[in-house]
């Protein structure tokens, strides 16, 4: 089983940047496709980005395409989410998730088996 811990959240002004990290332990993340999701107060959890285990393919929600970049360093057992040009509507708890690599990356939260607890991102206007 893999354990996931997110970090890097915080308070930033609109237009600013943050880089989130998701550190894995228990198993190497090269066994997993990884995803980032977010949940704002009173809203459903939504897909942000996903990456295959080789990093050969990445996927993004339309709302973040061109502003966010997902990447991974399997040697460091860590996945990243670089967030640029942040907007107030990006305010949410950001959570990383893992699913067995043979199934590929997915935008559906129900298809992920392991979840972190999340890190808060707040973007002020």
């Amino acid at each position: 089983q893999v354990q996931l811990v997110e970090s890097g959240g915080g308070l930033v002004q609109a237009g600013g940047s943050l880089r989130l990290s998701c550190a894995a332990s228990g198993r190497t993340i090269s066994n997993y496709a990884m995803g980032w999701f977010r949940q704002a107060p009173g809203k459903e959890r939504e897909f942000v980005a996903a990456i295959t285990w080789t990093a050969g393919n990445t996927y993004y929600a339309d709302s973040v395409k061109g502003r966010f970049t997902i990447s991974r360093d399997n040697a460091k057992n860590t996945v990243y989410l670089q967030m640029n040009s942040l907007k107030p509507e990006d305010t949410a708890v950001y959570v990383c998730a893992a699913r067995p690599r043979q199934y590929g990356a997915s935008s559906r939260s129900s298809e992920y088996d392991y979840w972190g607890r999340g890190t808060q991102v707040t973007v002020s206007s």
Side-chain angles (χ1 to χ4, degrees):
Q1 213 173 19
V2 64
Q3 291 81 45
L4 305 172
V5 178
E6 302 90 341
S7 62
L11 174 63
V12 64
Q13 287 189 329
S17 298
L18 284 174
R19 188 175 83 153
L20 305 184
S21 298
C22 172
S25 62
R27 294 197 70 187
T28 174
I29 61 166
S30 62
N31 291 300
Y32 302 95
M34 303 295 294
W36 283 97
F37 293 79
R38 67 187 182 186
Q39 188 164 17
K43 294 190 176 180
E44 299 272 328
R45 179 179 289 174
E46 66 172 349
F47 169 72
V48 176
I51 188 168
T52 54
W53 74 277
T54 61
N57 289 293
T58 56
Y59 306 89
Y60 297 93
D62 288 343
S63 59
V64 307
K65 204 171 291 183
R67 300 188 297 122
F68 290 11
T69 303
I70 187 171
S71 62
R72 64 191 297 158
D73 186 336
N74 287 344
K76 293 184 177 179
N77 236 23
T78 302
V79 176
Y80 304 97
L81 185 68
Q82 178 66 44
M83 306 187 297
N84 299 329
S85 302
L86 282 161
K87 305 175 181 179
E89 51 264 44
D90 294 319
T91 295
V93 174
Y94 284 72
V95 187
C96 68
R99 69 194 298 248
R101 71 186 195 189
Q102 61 264 35
Y103 301 122
S106 173
S107 62
R108 298 179 181 177
S109 60
S110 60
E111 296 182 353
Y112 287 82
D113 298 319
Y114 305 102
W115 293 83
R117 293 191 174 186
T119 185
Q120 176 70 46
V121 171
T122 303
V123 184
S124 63
S125 56

